[in-house]
Amino acid sequence: MTNLQSVAGRLYRDREITLPEFKNLVCAHAEILSLLRELPQDYRVGGYETGKIACTEFAEALAEAAGTVLLPLRPENKEGIAVLPAVNLEEASYQQVYVLGLCEKEFPFLKNENWIYNDRERKDLAALGIALPCAADGYSEDIHFFANACAAARSRLVLTYSKEDDRNVSPYIHEILSLFTDLRVQVKPRIQKLEDSLSREELELALVRGGQEGALRAVVDTELTEAGAGDRKRRENEQLWNGLLSDPSLVRQLNQRIGNRFSASKLESYRNCPFRFLAVYGWQQQVTEAAEEDLNPMQRGNLLHIVLERFISRHIGEGFTAAQWDALREELDAVFAGACREMEESGNLYAGEFWNYDREQLRTVLYRWLRSEIAYSESGNIRPAYTEKEFGRHNAEEFSVTVGQEQIFLNGIIDRIDKAGDAYYITDYKSGDVPAQKAFLDTDLQLPLYILAAEKLAAEEGGTVIGGGYYGLKDGERKSNFRFAAQPGDMAELSWKTYSEVTDASGTKVKIPDTDDLRKRTETILSALLQRMQSGDFVPTPTDGCDAYCPAAKICRFRVLSPDCDEEDTNG
C-alpha cells in the first residue's frame, strides 16, 4: 500500500497508464487508508474490539464500506446549474440560489392527516412512548428547508411562484416581503423567440397557448400547428370545439342512449363535468384506474361496505356499549376474515405480498369505526333499522321524480337507515373523502336523493325521515350531517352535529324545513340538468382536481392546456 503511489507515478511516466487511471489509483489508495482507520473505531463502538473475525469477513466489511465512496476523476464544472432538492442544502453555499414553486399548498406542502392513525391518535401514542410524526411536523421541516435554501445564497436569492389559474402564493413570500420592503416582483414576458426561451419546448408551448399560429409555423411542422389551433379553439369555447352539440338528430340519438334512468353518481357526473359525462354515458368509454399492486380505492371501499353491512345486519335495533368492546371486536374480526377469504377465493383481490399490509390497514379502520359506533350509540337513541336498502333497481320499488313534462327514474343503494321511534335517518359510508356540507344540493346530489327515496319507505311505515349524512371511515366520524329544520327535536337524539341550511342561487342561506321543500329544490336542479342535456350542452368544466384517468382527457386536453401542467407530459 505504501509503495502504490510511487508505482503509479512510474507507470504514468512510462505512459503505461493514463492520467485518469493514475488519479483513480492514488485517490483509491487515500480512501482505503481512511477506511482502514475508521473500521477499528466502528468495531469498538459496536462492542467488538476484542473479538476476532476471519479474513473473508474483513474483506466483505471493507468492500461494503468502499462501495459507498465516489472518486471524482474530472474537475467539477463550476459553470453548470445544480438542481437540488431543498433537503440537500444543509450548510451549502452558492453565488445564486433560485427557489422554485413557492405556491400555496406546495411549499409549504399541504399535509393531510394520515388515515391509518390521525394526529389525535398519534398524540395518544406519543404519551405512551411511541413517537410518530404528525401533520404539523411536516410544516416545521419545510420551514427548516426554506431557511437552508435562503441561507445558501451568497449574492443573489430569487424566489419564484405562479399566479395563473388564481393560485395563491406561498405564505413564505409574504414573510419575505414583510422583512424586505424594497424587493421587486419580476413578471416573465411572453416568449416570442427561441433565444428568449429556456428550451424549444417552452417556446412551442407558449406560442400554442398564445394562439400565435403564424409564429408557430416557423418553428414546428404543419400538423402540430393545426393541433395547437384546435387546442386554442377548445380553450376559447368556439362552436364545434367545446362540447356544445348543434345537430338536432345527433342530440336526440344521444339522449336516447343516455335514457331516463339515473343514479346519483350519474347525475353528479354531469353536474361536475358534462364532457366527462358525454364520454362515459354517451360514447360509453370505460373509466380506467391506475395500475396498483395494493388494493385500489374501489376494492377497499367494497370490502369495507361488505363487512359493515354484514356486521350491522346482525345487530338491527340494538345499541352498543363500551362493556361489549371485546365481544364486538371479536365478532367484527370474524366477519372481516370471512369477507377477505371470499374476495380472495373469487379473485376480486390479489393476495400478494402487499395484501397482509393492506388487510391490517383495513382492520385498523374497522376498529376505529367500531369505537365511534359505540360512542355514538351510548350518547344517542338512534339504532340501525335497515342495511343496503335498494331502490329503483332489480326487484326494488321504483322511485321517480317528475321534471317538467318528463318522469325520470332514480336508483341506488342506501348503505344504512337508522331509526328512533318514527324518526328515520339515512347513512352513507365513505371510504374516501366525504362531500363538504356546502356541496349539499350542489355537487352532492346523492344525499338529497337518498333522503327522498328513504322518505317513501318511512311513510309506508308511518314514520318520517329527519335527515341523513355520511360516515367517513378514514377517521371513523359522521360528517356533513343534514337535518330538516322543521322536525321536532325530541324525535331522535342524534349524538353528532347537524346542519339545516343551504346556500341558494342568490348566495342567501336558507333553511330546509321538510321533505316537500327538499323535493322542490331537487326537482329544480334536476330540471336544469336535463334541459342542458337535451339541448346538447356537454361543455367541459375542468378543474385542478381533474382525474388523470378521465376517459375524455385526451380530447379535452385540459392537463396539456393548463398553464400549471407538467410540460413534459406527452400523453395529452
Side-chain angles (χ1 to χ4, degrees):
M1 292 288 291
T2 57
N3 296 324
L4 181 61
Q5 292 174 321
S6 300
V7 173
R10 178 178 55 79
L11 291 174
Y12 177 67
R13 284 195 305 272
D14 295 341
R15 297 184 179 181
E16 295 184 28
I17 60 174
T18 63
L19 181 59
E21 290 171 338
F22 168 78
K23 189 175 182 180
N24 190 14
L25 288 171
V26 173
C27 291
H29 173 263
E31 292 292 343
I32 290 174
L33 288 178
S34 176
L35 291 175
L36 290 174
R37 285 191 291 268
E38 292 175 2
L39 281 175
Q41 182 180 353
D42 292 342
Y43 275 87
R44 281 195 297 272
V45 172
Y48 295 100
E49 57 183 328
T50 60
K52 295 182 179 181
I53 62 173
C55 290
T56 54
E57 293 180 8
F58 171 77
E60 290 174 358
L62 181 61
E64 182 179 358
T68 62
V69 177
L70 297 177
L71 301 179
L73 301 181
R74 296 182 180 179
E76 181 182 358
N77 181 8
K78 300 293 184 179
E79 300 300 321
I81 298 176
V83 181
L84 303 171
V87 295
N88 290 350
L89 288 174
E90 190 81 36
E91 300 182 1
S93 177
Y94 296 93
Q95 282 295 116
Q96 301 184 53
V97 172
Y98 293 77
V99 182
L100 310 180
L102 284 170
C103 296
E104 188 179 39
K105 299 181 182 179
E106 293 183 9
F107 196 11
F109 183 69
L110 177 63
K111 308 295 191 302
N112 294 319
E113 291 189 30
N114 188 285
W115 70 285
I116 302 176
Y117 294 109
N118 59 35
D119 283 356
R120 177 177 54 80
E121 293 170 325
R122 286 167 181 255
K123 289 180 180 178
D124 293 340
L125 290 172
L128 300 175
I130 305 174
L132 295 175
C134 299
D137 296 335
Y139 290 105
S140 299
E141 289 183 353
D142 281 357
I143 292 173
H144 176 73
F145 296 149
F146 180 65
N148 284 342
C150 294
R154 292 198 297 268
S155 63
R156 189 183 188 204
L157 174 66
V158 180
L159 309 177
T160 70
Y161 58 90
S162 170
K163 296 187 68 175
E164 295 178 324
D165 289 348
D166 297 324
R167 298 172 72 187
N168 295 322
V169 302
S170 166
Y172 294 160
I173 293 290
H174 300 299
E175 293 289 339
I176 292 292
L177 290 175
S178 67
L179 290 174
F180 305 97
T181 57
D182 59 342
L183 295 180
R184 293 180 295 111
V185 177
Q186 300 178 354
V187 179
K188 185 177 181 181
R190 184 178 295 276
I191 302 169
Q192 300 286 350
K193 301 178 181 178
L194 183 60
E195 55 266 26
D196 297 331
S197 62
L198 298 178
S199 67
R200 187 182 186 89
E201 289 74 17
E202 184 188 42
L203 173 63
E204 293 172 0
L205 191 61
L207 295 177
V208 168
R209 288 174 175 167
Q212 302 177 58
E213 297 179 27
L216 187 63
R217 288 192 183 94
V219 294
V220 300
D221 58 35
T222 304
E223 291 183 357
L224 186 57
T225 304
E226 293 176 354
D231 282 341
R232 179 181 57 79
K233 292 175 181 178
R234 290 188 185 91
R235 194 171 185 184
E236 295 176 359
N237 275 338
E238 288 192 20
Q239 189 73 18
L240 301 180
W241 291 84
N242 62 356
L244 192 59
L245 309 181
S246 57
D247 185 336
S249 175
L250 177 62
V251 172
R252 185 171 55 256
Q253 293 179 50
L254 183 60
N255 278 283
Q256 288 176 351
R257 173 173 288 186
I258 293 171
N260 63 349
R261 294 186 176 274
F262 294 88
S263 64
S265 60
K266 186 175 179 179
L267 291 168
E268 288 176 353
S269 175
Y270 182 85
R271 191 165 179 81
N272 291 332
C273 182
F275 196 67
R276 178 191 175 105
F277 176 91
L278 174 64
V280 175
Y281 298 101
W283 300 333
Q284 298 180 351
Q285 300 298 300
Q286 297 297 318
V287 179
T288 59
E289 295 285 348
E292 300 179 6
E293 293 187 66
D294 55 356
L295 287 182
N296 62 45
M298 181 173 291
Q299 289 173 319
R300 183 179 293 111
N302 288 343
L303 183 53
L304 289 172
H305 276 69
I306 290 171
V307 173
L308 296 179
E309 187 275 330
R310 293 179 182 179
F311 182 82
I312 288 296
S313 295
R314 300 180 177 189
H315 299 279
I316 296 297
E318 299 180 12
F320 298 146
T321 65
Q324 298 175 280
W325 166 254
D326 289 336
L328 291 173
R329 183 183 61 181
E330 184 177 343
E331 181 183 351
L332 184 61
D333 276 334
V335 174
F336 180 51
C340 291
R341 185 169 55 252
E342 289 177 14
M343 291 192 72
E344 290 173 11
E345 293 174 352
S346 63
N348 288 326
L349 63 82
Y350 173 62
E353 54 188 79
F354 288 98
W355 169 230
N356 289 333
Y357 173 73
D358 287 331
R359 182 170 50 204
E360 293 312 307
Q361 277 190 323
L362 294 177
R363 194 188 308 276
T364 300
V365 171
L366 290 170
Y367 285 172
R368 186 182 298 130
W369 168 83
L370 183 57
R371 291 190 187 94
S372 297
E373 189 67 19
I374 290 173
Y376 288 134
S377 183
E378 288 185 324
S379 56
N381 69 341
I382 198 161
R383 301 291 182 259
Y386 296 97
T387 61
E388 298 290 310
K389 193 66 177 177
E390 291 190 75
F391 62 91
R393 57 171 62 183
H394 305 309
N395 296 321
E397 190 171 358
E398 290 280 358
F399 171 56
S400 62
V401 175
T402 301
V403 179
Q405 301 297 320
E406 296 188 31
Q407 188 177 32
I408 63 172
F409 298 89
L410 304 170
N411 60 74
I413 303 177
I414 303 174
D415 291 337
R416 172 173 164 181
I417 301 178
D418 292 277
K419 182 180 177 184
D422 294 335
Y424 291 71
Y425 190 88
I426 75 140
T427 297
D428 188 77
Y429 296 120
K430 291 293 183 187
S431 57
D433 295 331
V434 173
Q437 175 180 320
K438 64 181 179 181
F440 188 78
L441 280 177
D442 184 15
T443 55
D444 176 20
L445 297 177
Q446 179 181 7
L447 189 55
L449 288 174
Y450 281 18
I451 289 175
L452 294 176
E455 173 62 20
K456 189 173 183 180
L457 167 67
E460 292 173 354
E461 299 182 358
T464 184
V465 174
I466 62 171
Y470 295 102
Y471 215 136
L473 300 180
K474 287 197 293 188
D475 48 14
E477 291 183 13
R478 287 183 175 269
K479 297 181 177 181
S480 300
N481 301 293
F482 171 80
R483 182 169 185 170
F484 289 113
Q487 299 296 339
D490 58 354
M491 295 183 69
E493 298 174 7
L494 302 181
S495 52
W496 48 86
K497 188 181 296 185
T498 61
Y499 67 94
S500 302
E501 292 182 333
V502 297
T503 303
D504 63 14
S506 65
T508 305
K509 288 188 174 182
V510 294
K511 292 188 175 181
I512 300 181
D514 49 35
T515 52
D516 289 338
D517 185 81
L518 178 63
R519 180 175 288 103
K520 291 177 183 177
R521 294 178 183 276
T522 304
E523 289 175 353
T524 300
I525 292 172
L526 297 183
S527 176
L529 293 182
L530 290 176
Q531 286 177 8
R532 289 180 60 191
M533 285 185 206
Q534 292 167 357
S535 68
D537 184 353
F538 298 95
V539 176
T541 55
T543 65
D544 290 339
C546 269
D547 183 2
Y549 302 97
C550 171
K554 291 188 177 182
I555 305 174
C556 170
R557 290 174 59 80
F558 169 72
R559 293 175 64 83
V560 173
L561 300 179
S562 175
D564 61 341
C565 74
D566 180 1
E567 297 182 7
E568 295 183 1
D569 182 6
T570 60
N571 295 326

